[in-house]
Amino acid sequence: MSLRILQAGLGNRGRMWGRIIAQHPSVVMSAVVDPDPARIDAFTAEFGAVPAFADLDTALRSVEVDAGLLVTPPQGHLDQARLVFAAGLPLLSEKPLALDLDDARAIVSLAEAAGCALTVGLNFRYLPISREIRRLVAAGTLGAP
């Protein structure tokens, strides 16, 4: 059985996550959320039709999924995490988890109270572009940081 993901956020990082999920044999994109219809159209054109929603609350009430993935700006993470945990789902959030420590603590507390796993992803530091930037800085190619 495949892990069914609901992904919120379909910008540049969201498309990267779309590729990651599409390449993983035991994970399936079950729904996507983005307030911009053009982003939804571009995403589904690239990765195939899936249920798409303009808001996370509607999506969580409309589809059955196994986990949430936030690829959205951090200022919305607290409200979005509240919805995901209220649905009883584990959450993978892009970094930064929050813009301040109070919001980060609140998100962790919500996860603990709901008994749901919370993970903050840092995987994009391994992208070829990220590794190349690190190499250029370490080699001094761009001067001193």
Side-chain angles (χ1 to χ4, degrees), residues 19-38:
R19 286 191 281 284
I20 291 166
I21 291 169
Q23 294 171 1
H24 201 290
S26 62
V27 180
V28 64
M29 187 73 70
S30 291
V32 295
V33 176
D34 200 286
D36 184 347

Side-chain angles (χ1 to χ4, degrees), residues 103-123:
D103 279 4
R105 284 183 177 138
I107 293 170
V108 170
S109 293
L110 288 166
E112 290 172 345
C116 295
L118 168 63
T119 303
V120 180
L122 300 171
N123 62 319

Side-chain angles (χ1 to χ4, degrees), residues 54-76:
D55 69 273
L56 184 57
D57 187 40
T58 302
L60 288 166
R61 288 186 281 110
S62 301
V63 294
E64 287 193 32
V65 297
D66 301 308
L69 169 60
L70 296 182
V71 194
T72 56
Q75 61 268 23

Side-chain angles (χ1 to χ4, degrees), residues 26-100:
S26 62
V27 180
V28 64
M29 187 73 70
S30 291
V32 295
V33 176
D34 200 286
D36 184 347
R39 283 188 178 175
I40 290 173
D41 290 344
F43 190 90
T44 57
E46 184 173 353
F47 299 107
V50 295
F53 303 88
D55 69 273
L56 184 57
D57 187 40
T58 302
L60 288 166
R61 288 186 281 110
S62 301
V63 294
E64 287 193 32
V65 297
D66 301 308
L69 169 60
L70 296 182
V71 194
T72 56
Q75 61 268 23
H77 285 179
L78 177 56
D79 291 335
Q80 294 162 344
R82 187 175 285 115
L83 292 170
V84 171
F85 295 138
L89 298 173
L91 176 62
L92 171 57
S93 175
E94 268 292 316
K95 69 173 184 75
L97 178 60
L99 294 178
D100 62 56

